[in-house]
Amino acid sequence: MNKFILEPTDENLERLKKIKGTKVYWHTADFFRFDSSIRDELSIIFDDYMDIFFEWKPTDKNEFSIARMIVKAARKNKISPQDYRDQFENYITVIWTPVCLWRKDEFGKISYSLKSNL
């Protein structure tokens, strides 16, 4: 499991749950974590990511440029590129889908769905 994702144990789910009317939900940021000290850098890379994938035609070259930005930022912050990438992916998840709905099936398996709002 990604070390930047908080395990959805019964204790964590109870401690972090939010209630709005009859709806129970969680903040995605509570489970999909990233270091707040690199938030501004993640935001800059995210802006470039959005340009590439929604305004330009995605190509291997464009995807490589995002990867290069991640590696450069990781080196600057003295963390592994994989850890930086995982935090970047969590940042994107939190930005696009700030609401998380956790469910437990009849076998006790926990799953989630991410939403942009309630």
Side-chain angles (χ1 to χ4, degrees):
M1 178 177 245
N2 179 331
K3 68 182 179 181
F4 297 102
I5 295 179
L6 180 67
E7 186 178 355
T9 61
D10 289 338
E11 180 182 285
N12 287 339
L13 291 172
E14 184 61 33
R15 180 172 53 90
L16 296 169
K17 79 178 177 183
K18 309 286 186 236
I19 299 173
K20 184 174 185 179
T22 60
K23 297 181 182 186
V24 176
Y25 68 98
W26 292 262
H27 290 162
T28 305
D30 288 338
F31 290 90
F32 294 79
R33 297 180 166 178
F34 56 89
D35 182 347
S36 62
S37 70
I38 61 173
R39 178 186 300 267
D40 290 342
E41 291 176 5
L42 294 171
S43 176
I44 291 167
I45 296 172
F46 178 70
D47 289 344
D48 289 341
Y49 175 87
M50 294 294 286
D51 287 344
I52 288 171
F53 288 100
F54 291 105
E55 293 180 15
W56 305 343
K57 183 176 180 171
T59 65
D60 289 342
K61 181 181 176 186
N62 290 336
E63 291 173 15
F64 182 72
S65 70
I66 294 295
R68 188 175 24 221
M69 290 175 71
I70 288 172
V71 169
K72 183 178 177 183
R75 286 180 182 154
K76 176 184 168 203
N77 289 285
K78 296 181 172 97
I79 61 175
S80 76
Q82 294 82 9
D83 284 352
Y84 199 95
R85 180 206 58 216
D86 290 347
Q87 292 185 75
F88 178 64
E89 288 174 359
N90 286 354
Y91 177 80
I92 291 172
T93 300
V94 168
I95 294 298
W96 280 343
T97 53
V99 175
C100 185
L101 302 176
W102 292 96
R103 292 183 181 85
K104 190 182 281 192
D105 68 16
E106 62 273 10
F107 303 108
K109 183 179 179 197
I110 296 176
S111 63
Y112 65 86
S113 58
L114 302 173
K115 309 282 184 188
S116 58
N117 58 42
L118 287 177

